[in-house]
Amino acid sequence: ASVLFIIWDLTILPLSAFNVERLSFIQTAAMLSSSFWVMDIIMNFFVAYHRRDGLVEMRLGKIVRHYLSTWFAFDFVVVAVDIVFRILLAGYGVLGRVGKTVRLFW
């Protein structure tokens, strides 16, 4: 499923310059994509990993520390920026007006 969402994001990102995200299907799929990536971050806290000695680490505390020290910061920033821009550009109150202003200059 991750590959499908990566392909989706790589396809829609360039098309967003042409305001295709106003289509209801695109909006729904974009929300599904954002939800998937949020769930992916949560699930990564429970995914075992291979230690340097070749053994599989399955202790929750070690898994959490490993994820926090490796990919978590990158994953969090990418997903957070995506969600913030979706909120800003969706037109929710004051944030929506700010988002529309940002879009004018972007």
Side-chain angles (χ1 to χ4, degrees):
S2 296
V3 174
L4 293 175
F5 282 107
I6 290 171
I7 292 169
W8 171 260
D9 289 340
L10 288 173
T11 304
I12 291 303
L13 183 62
L15 292 177
S16 65
F18 302 105
N19 284 333
V20 295
E21 66 268 354
R22 295 202 182 262
L23 303 172
S24 63
F25 168 75
I26 302 291
Q27 288 176 337
T28 303
M31 289 306 298
L32 282 172
S33 175
S34 294
S35 300
F36 173 82
W37 293 119
V38 168
M39 293 303 298
D40 184 61
I41 289 174
I42 294 168
M43 294 302 294
N44 277 316
F45 282 105
F46 302 98
V47 175
Y49 67 95
H50 289 276
R51 299 185 327 199
R52 292 185 190 266
D53 61 5
L55 296 175
V56 177
E57 182 61 68
M58 295 180 15
R59 291 176 286 186
L60 185 60
K62 299 266 186 176
I63 294 169
V64 169
R65 277 192 293 280
H66 181 262
Y67 181 51
L68 288 173
S69 67
T70 55
W71 283 98
F72 175 75
F74 176 79
D75 290 347
F76 181 80
V77 168
V78 169
V79 172
V81 166
D82 179 50
I83 290 172
V84 166
F85 273 105
R86 287 195 198 288
I87 290 170
L88 288 175
L89 298 176
Y92 296 119
V94 173
L95 290 177
R97 287 191 291 278
V98 170
K100 289 177 184 175
T101 304
V102 168
R103 178 177 259 175
L104 283 174
F105 296 107
W106 187 314

